[in-house]
Amino acid sequence: MSVSPDLGLLAGDVLDVAPRLLGATLRHDGVTVRLTEVEAYAGSDDPGSHAYRGPTPRTRVMFGPAGTLYAYLSYGMHVCANVVTGPEGTASAVLLRAGEVVEGAHLARERRSTTRDRDLARGPANLCRALGIGLDLGGSDLATGPVRLELTAPLSRDRISTGPRVGLRGAPDRPWRFWLTGEPSVSAYRPAARRP
DNA sequence: AGGGTGATTAGG
DNA sequence: CTAATCACCCTC
């Protein structure tokens, strides 16, 4: 099975690309993860996106070509990874929320302090930790760089569930979260904290 | 339910 | 410069 990974597909609309990433594999430094949960962010059209108010030093890679890794630091301690999608300039991206470790589980266990294997890459920050993805990898090319994305055949729509994104204050109503129905590695839904 | 933690950002 | 915000995780 020598299917060449056509990352050119990532140049499409983020809402089409996001579900296509389910089942794809992400590999880095000895650990491979099969993606089970993602979220779409539509750049300047999307109040929930970091890129909503235009380019900044942090978000500049999202305005670049599709197939690039956008990594950011969350709450001062967590790294989260996104795949940049869409035509250059649209600043859309897909947040990788969870996955199943399919290779290098022993290494992933060393990087994580959890007892259950299903939790190794459960949640966007945990996924990055299991894979050993740091901020320094942001901006790298997912086809040729240290972090490799490999697409798989599209999964049938009836295996995919959709719902609201996790933890957003802006645009919490858009059902732009996609996950594989019944997967134990999918993170629990938590509504955004309410402003007092 | 609450706290840790620091980059990032808008605003003065 | 300041202060608010934050696409989270863990423990209580």
Side-chain angles (χ1 to χ4, degrees):
Chain A
M1 48 176 261
S2 56
V3 178
S4 68
D6 183 11
L7 295 191
L9 187 128
L10 300 179
D13 187 274
V14 67
L15 290 180
D16 297 325
V17 173
R20 278 297 319 261
L21 289 179
L22 294 174
T25 59
L26 194 69
R27 185 186 343 265
H28 174 68
D29 200 22
V31 175
T32 305
V33 153
R34 172 177 161 264
L35 299 175
T36 57
E37 181 189 7
V38 300
E39 279 176 2
Y41 288 87
S44 45
D45 299 327
D46 181 4
S49 170
H50 289 167
Y52 182 50
R53 292 171 219 278
T56 66
R58 177 177 60 152
T59 62
R60 129 187 89 77
V61 312
M62 277 198 281
F63 290 83
T68 312
L69 180 71
Y70 166 55
Y72 68 92
L73 187 66
S74 178
Y75 292 89
M77 55 189 115
H78 305 296
V79 177
C80 299
N82 300 248
V83 175
V84 175
T85 71
E88 200 162 337
T90 58
S92 48
V94 178
L95 172 67
L96 309 179
R97 284 203 59 89
E100 171 199 4
V101 174
V102 294
E103 197 180 286
H106 183 73
L107 206 48
R109 280 187 211 107
E110 289 177 357
R111 294 172 178 158
R112 297 268 299 115
S113 54
T114 178
T115 52
R116 295 189 300 176
D117 276 7
R118 58 193 269 168
D119 292 339
L120 283 175
R122 190 180 207 235
N126 289 334
L127 182 144
C128 283
R129 236 186 121 171
L131 285 167
I133 293 178
L135 281 182
D136 51 312
L137 296 173
S140 62
D141 189 328
L142 290 166
T144 63
V147 184
R148 295 301 177 90
L149 176 68
E150 289 185 15
L151 300 181
T152 50
L155 299 165
S156 67
R157 303 291 302 195
D158 59 344
R159 294 187 53 197
I160 299 175
S161 301
T162 66
R165 295 175 291 183
V166 173
L168 288 194
R169 307 255 273 253
D173 48 312
R174 306 188 189 190
W176 288 356
R177 172 173 170 246
F178 304 85
W179 68 94
L180 292 178
T181 312
E183 275 286 331
S185 59
V186 171
S187 52
Y189 175 68
R190 298 246 303 274
R194 195 165 61 85
R195 192 188 297 259

